[in-house]
Amino acid sequence: MMMDILMYLFETYVHSDADLQVDQDELEDELLRAGFKQKDIYKALEWLEDLAELQNTDEHSAIAMSAATSTRIYTQQEMTRMDVKSRGLLMFLEQIGVLTPKLVRWSLTVLWGWKPTTLNSMT
């Protein structure tokens, strides 16, 4: 699952002292050796690339400046689609400022296969 890969990457590269500059082919090979499926690896890496692009746009800058004073409450349907560890990862990334509430919502749409064209298309 894509969220398992993101958790693995966070624990391996971000949460440790590991080098963050990793060749994508080497990273894909490492993830395959770790037992992840190719389809999920591509989905996770695409999510990371899209997130990086969003963080470099004016659109993200505007929402990053807004105060994050809300907490997402997951519906029963959402909780059946995402385990506690996955929800915890998204909450943690939001708390440390990697994701805004709007980017969490965008992440969920990507995770579930719905891909909005921009953050502004999120209502």
Side-chain angles (χ1 to χ4, degrees):
M1 181 174 172
M2 182 179 104
M3 290 302 290
D4 293 330
I5 294 171
L6 295 173
M7 283 187 273
Y8 175 88
L9 292 173
F10 180 79
E11 290 170 359
T12 303
Y13 293 98
V14 179
H15 198 57
S16 71
D17 292 330
D19 183 14
L20 292 177
Q21 298 296 322
V22 179
D23 178 69
Q24 186 166 338
D25 292 334
E26 290 176 25
L27 183 58
E28 287 179 29
D29 289 343
E30 177 184 338
L31 292 169
L32 285 169
R33 285 191 304 274
F36 296 109
K37 295 178 183 172
Q38 188 75 48
K39 174 184 81 162
D40 294 331
I41 293 169
Y42 284 136
K43 193 172 182 179
L45 294 178
E46 180 181 29
W47 180 87
L48 288 170
E49 288 174 7
D50 290 346
L51 179 61
E53 286 178 25
L54 284 172
Q55 289 180 330
N56 291 325
T57 64
D58 290 337
E59 186 176 358
H60 176 267
S61 300
I63 63 170
M65 295 174 70
S66 65
T69 57
S70 62
T71 300
R72 182 176 182 85
I73 305 297
Y74 291 93
T75 67
Q76 187 64 40
Q77 181 183 18
E78 290 172 327
M79 288 190 291
T80 59
R81 296 182 87 170
M82 236 175 34
D83 63 14
V84 172
K85 287 174 68 176
S86 298
R87 293 190 308 266
L89 175 65
L90 287 176
M91 180 182 272
F92 175 73
L93 293 174
E94 185 177 353
Q95 289 173 343
I96 64 171
V98 172
L99 297 176
T100 62
K102 203 168 191 180
L103 283 173
V104 169
R105 192 164 179 197
W106 172 83
S107 299
L108 293 173
T109 64
V110 172
L111 175 67
W112 295 328
W114 313 314
K115 192 158 185 175
T117 54
T118 68
L119 284 175
N120 287 334
S121 66
M122 306 288 298
T123 55

